Amino acid sequence: MLLLCHSTKRWESLYFRLCAPILERRKDTPYGERERDFQLYRRGRYVEFNLVIDRGTIFGLQSNGRIESILLSMPPLVKWRYDWHPENGSPEAELYEKFLVPKDWV
């Protein structure tokens, strides 16, 4: 038990040392209704992926798993939009252009 406690304290210390610079750098980043709206949209895409593509979720639903447990693992608040595209030059557009570029992984 003492070893586990010591190990946990080391991970906790490491976590805060690694996160502190990120938090310091981003603490003044504006966050308003537009950013919240985009966050809810991205959460909706995550739920879409889980229900349509994720094999574990599909297996759970098809094998009479507890639907409540499966759905509780998803975000409680999401937004759905049809054929949504970010405004040109926005931080959201930059995210799509640099990080969320579709790739052919096969």
Side-chain angles (χ1 to χ4, degrees):
M1 184 67 181
L2 184 60
L3 180 61
L4 177 63
C5 184
H6 179 68
S7 179
T8 302
K9 290 284 185 192
R10 286 180 44 214
W11 280 110
E12 179 183 325
S13 173
L14 177 64
Y15 178 79
F16 285 112
R17 280 199 328 254
L18 293 174
C19 288
I22 297 169
L23 294 172
E24 184 63 34
R25 189 173 61 241
R26 297 203 173 252
K27 71 178 181 177
D28 296 323
T29 302
Y31 185 85
E33 193 60 37
R34 193 185 99 236
E35 290 80 14
R36 176 67 173 156
D37 193 57
F38 182 65
Q39 179 188 39
L40 294 175
Y41 168 72
R42 292 298 305 160
R43 286 179 175 183
R45 295 304 307 265
Y46 168 76
V47 170
E48 177 186 355
F49 168 82
N50 271 333
L51 293 175
V52 176
I53 297 171
D54 182 64
R55 289 186 282 176
T57 304
I58 293 170
F59 174 78
L61 292 171
Q62 291 175 343
S63 63
N64 292 327
R66 289 194 56 223
I67 292 176
E68 295 87 359
S69 298
I70 295 166
L71 295 178
L72 279 172
S73 69
M74 303 205 185
L77 298 173
V78 300
K79 282 198 175 181
W80 308 96
R81 293 194 189 93
Y82 178 76
D83 198 28
W84 180 83
H85 298 282
E87 293 178 35
N88 288 332
S90 68
E92 294 82 9
E94 182 180 6
L95 177 70
Y96 275 82
E97 292 162 6
K98 292 184 178 179
F99 300 104
L100 300 178
V101 179
K103 293 181 173 106
D104 184 8
W105 295 99
V106 180

